[in-house]
């Protein structure tokens, strides 16, 4: 039984897709997050750092992708607020109601992506 567990761990680790990023340059400050990257594969989470609770806020994103795939997800707890597969150059802005003072995060999931993003809230 012990050998089976060791083999299971080994093969699970072996077949997971590696996460890596090459030439990531960016910043994450309250209200603004941006980055450029030459190759991004994996996931990156960012907490939305609001200055006031229980207030609606605008979420604005701008992305430029020249290679690969990039997927944006915004969540509050386990509830998905927004989800989009991003291609090429995209810009969008929308309001998020925050009457309950919830905590939010956004996640980028990428596969061999080259480009940039700029998030403001």
């Amino acid at each position: 039984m012990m050998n089976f567990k060791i083999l299971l761990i080994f093969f699970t680790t072996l077949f997971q897709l590696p996460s890596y990023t090459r030439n990531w340059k960016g910043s994450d400050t309250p209200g603004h997050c941006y980055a450029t990257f030459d190759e991004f594969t994996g996931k990156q989470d960012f907490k939305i750092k609001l200055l006031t609770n229980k207030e609606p806020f605008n979420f604005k994103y701008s992305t430029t992708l020249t290679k690969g795939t990039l997927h944006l997800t915004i969540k509050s707890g386990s509830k998905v607020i927004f989800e989009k597969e991003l291609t090429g150059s995209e810009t969008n802005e929308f309001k998020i109601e925050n009457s309950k003072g919830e905590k939010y995060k956004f996640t980028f999931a990428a596969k061999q992506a080259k480009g940039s993003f700029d998030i403001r809230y």
Side-chain angles (χ1 to χ4, degrees):
M1 187 61 144
M2 185 62 142
N3 289 337
F4 177 72
K5 287 182 183 178
I6 292 171
L7 283 173
L8 182 63
I9 292 170
F10 173 75
F11 283 113
T12 302
T13 304
L14 180 67
F15 292 111
Q16 285 182 346
L17 292 175
S19 293
Y20 60 91
T21 304
R22 209 169 34 145
N23 295 327
W24 179 280
K25 295 176 185 144
S27 180
D28 181 15
T29 60
H32 189 210
C33 180
Y34 63 91
T36 62
F37 40 88
D38 285 343
E39 190 159 359
F40 171 29
T41 295
K43 289 174 79 177
Q44 183 66 48
D45 294 325
F46 299 91
K47 291 181 182 177
I48 295 179
K49 304 167 190 123
L50 299 173
L51 299 176
T52 59
N53 290 333
K54 297 186 179 184
E55 294 287 329
F57 62 95
N58 290 328
F59 187 91
K60 181 179 183 178
Y61 68 87
S62 179
T63 59
T64 301
L65 194 62
T66 59
K67 180 180 120 181
T69 62
L70 190 63
H71 187 87
L72 172 62
T73 305
I74 303 171
K75 287 184 175 184
S76 175
S78 62
K79 182 180 173 188
V80 175
I81 307 299
F82 178 83
E83 192 168 25
K84 177 116 167 87
E85 192 73 31
L86 303 165
T87 58
S89 294
E90 293 193 36
T91 300
N92 193 12
E93 181 175 5
F94 52 91
K95 183 177 263 188
I96 296 177
E97 296 298 328
N98 190 27
S99 61
K100 296 181 182 176
E102 298 175 14
K103 294 183 180 183
Y104 295 87
K105 74 173 185 174
F106 62 94
T107 303
F108 282 108
K111 184 173 181 186
Q112 299 176 338
K114 178 178 182 178
S116 64
F117 66 80
D118 191 306
I119 306 289
R120 295 180 186 269
Y121 53 87

